[in-house]
Amino acid sequence: MLKKILIILIITIIIISTLTTIKISSKNNFIFKKVHNIINTSNKIIFNKNLNTDKNIIGKLIIKKLNINESLYIITSKENNVEKHITILKESILPDQDNSIIFLAAHSGTGKTAYFKDLNNLKINDEIIFYYKNITYKYYVKDIWEEKKNGFINVNKENTNQLILTTCSPTKNNYQLVINCIEKKS
C-alpha cells in the first residue's frame, strides 16, 4: 500500500512539474500547455482583517466544504509553488481586473502539500471564496470534468469572472480534474 501511494505521489509530482504555459486559442479558450510551477461589483465584500504579516501573501482560498483555508502568494514569490502551497498560475487575470480568470493548481494524493486531495468531492453550485486585496469574491462551481492528460486542458472563457481549480485526478491515472467556477451574482 505504501509503495502504491509513493508511486502515485511521484507520478503526480512529475506530471505537475512538467506542465508549462497557458495560451489563449483563437476560439477564446484558455489552453493549459505544460503548466509550469504548476463581477459583479455588488458581490465584493470588504474583508477588514489582515490576512497575514507576510508581504508576499495576497489572498486566501477558502472552500468550507473541503476544510481548505489557505494563503495565496504573489505570483513572483518562491512560496507560490505547487511543492509548497496552492499556486496561482502566472497566466491568471486577477479579480481586480475586468473579466478575470484565476487559475489555481495544487497537489492531490497524500502529504502536507496535497491541498486539493478532496477536490473531487465538490459538486455543482458549491461555494468557493477567494480573498484578494482585502476583498471577498464568491464563486460557485459551474462545471466539473476530467480529461486525459496530453499537455492541454481546454477551458471555455465565460463572459464573467472565473476561477479554475485544477489537480491530477485522484481516481484515474493520466487524467486531470478541472473545476470551473463562476463569480456569484447578487
Side-chain angles (χ1 to χ4, degrees):
M1 181 67 172
L2 182 59
K3 185 176 179 182
K4 187 175 181 179
I5 292 171
L6 287 174
I7 290 171
I8 290 171
L9 183 59
I10 290 169
I11 290 170
T12 302
I13 290 169
I14 290 169
I15 290 169
I16 290 184
S17 66
T18 59
L19 299 173
T20 58
T21 58
I22 298 175
K23 294 186 178 180
I24 302 174
S25 76
S26 59
K27 294 180 183 174
N28 203 21
N29 288 334
F30 280 80
I31 300 173
F32 285 76
K33 182 181 179 185
K34 297 187 177 181
V35 178
H36 181 4
N37 285 335
I38 319 204
I39 319 190
N40 188 333
T41 323
S42 60
N43 278 346
K44 297 178 186 175
I45 301 166
I46 300 299
F47 181 68
N48 292 322
K49 296 179 182 175
N50 254 342
L51 292 173
N52 195 314
T53 56
D54 184 338
K55 65 181 179 172
N56 288 316
I57 294 176
I58 60 166
K60 256 185 190 292
L61 176 69
I62 296 175
I63 307 175
K64 292 177 185 175
K65 181 177 182 177
L66 305 180
N67 294 318
I68 294 175
N69 185 343
E70 294 299 322
S71 295
L72 300 168
Y73 293 81
I74 59 175
I75 292 171
T76 57
S77 170
K78 291 179 183 177
E79 298 301 313
N80 187 47
N81 180 317
V82 76
E83 300 303 324
K84 296 181 177 185
H85 301 284
I86 296 171
T87 301
I88 302 173
L89 301 178
K90 65 182 177 180
E91 295 78 10
S92 295
I93 300 169
L94 293 169
D96 57 347
Q97 298 176 37
D98 289 336
N99 212 18
S100 70
I101 185 165
I102 306 155
F103 298 94
L104 299 180
H107 284 298
S108 54
T110 61
K112 68 178 186 172
T113 61
Y115 295 106
F116 284 175
K117 68 180 178 267
D118 295 322
L119 206 59
N120 61 322
N121 292 326
L122 286 176
K123 304 288 183 224
I124 303 300
N125 292 320
D126 282 346
E127 184 178 74
I128 313 295
I129 298 171
F130 184 85
Y131 291 116
Y132 178 69
K133 291 187 175 179
N134 294 327
I135 297 175
T136 302
Y137 299 87
K138 292 184 179 183
Y139 296 84
Y140 70 91
V141 175
K142 180 181 179 194
D143 302 302
I144 302 169
W145 69 92
E146 290 185 348
E147 58 184 54
K148 191 141 180 91
K149 288 184 182 182
N150 62 4
F152 298 91
I153 299 174
N154 293 312
V155 177
N156 290 328
K157 179 64 183 105
E158 304 283 343
N159 289 326
T160 186
N161 294 339
Q162 216 166 336
L163 174 68
I164 308 297
L165 307 173
T166 187
T167 193
C168 295
S169 168
T171 58
K172 296 180 186 175
N173 289 336
N174 299 316
Y175 276 75
Q176 189 83 9
L177 175 63
V178 181
I179 298 183
N180 178 32
C181 306
I182 302 300
E183 190 173 21
K184 283 187 177 183
K185 305 290 182 190
S186 36

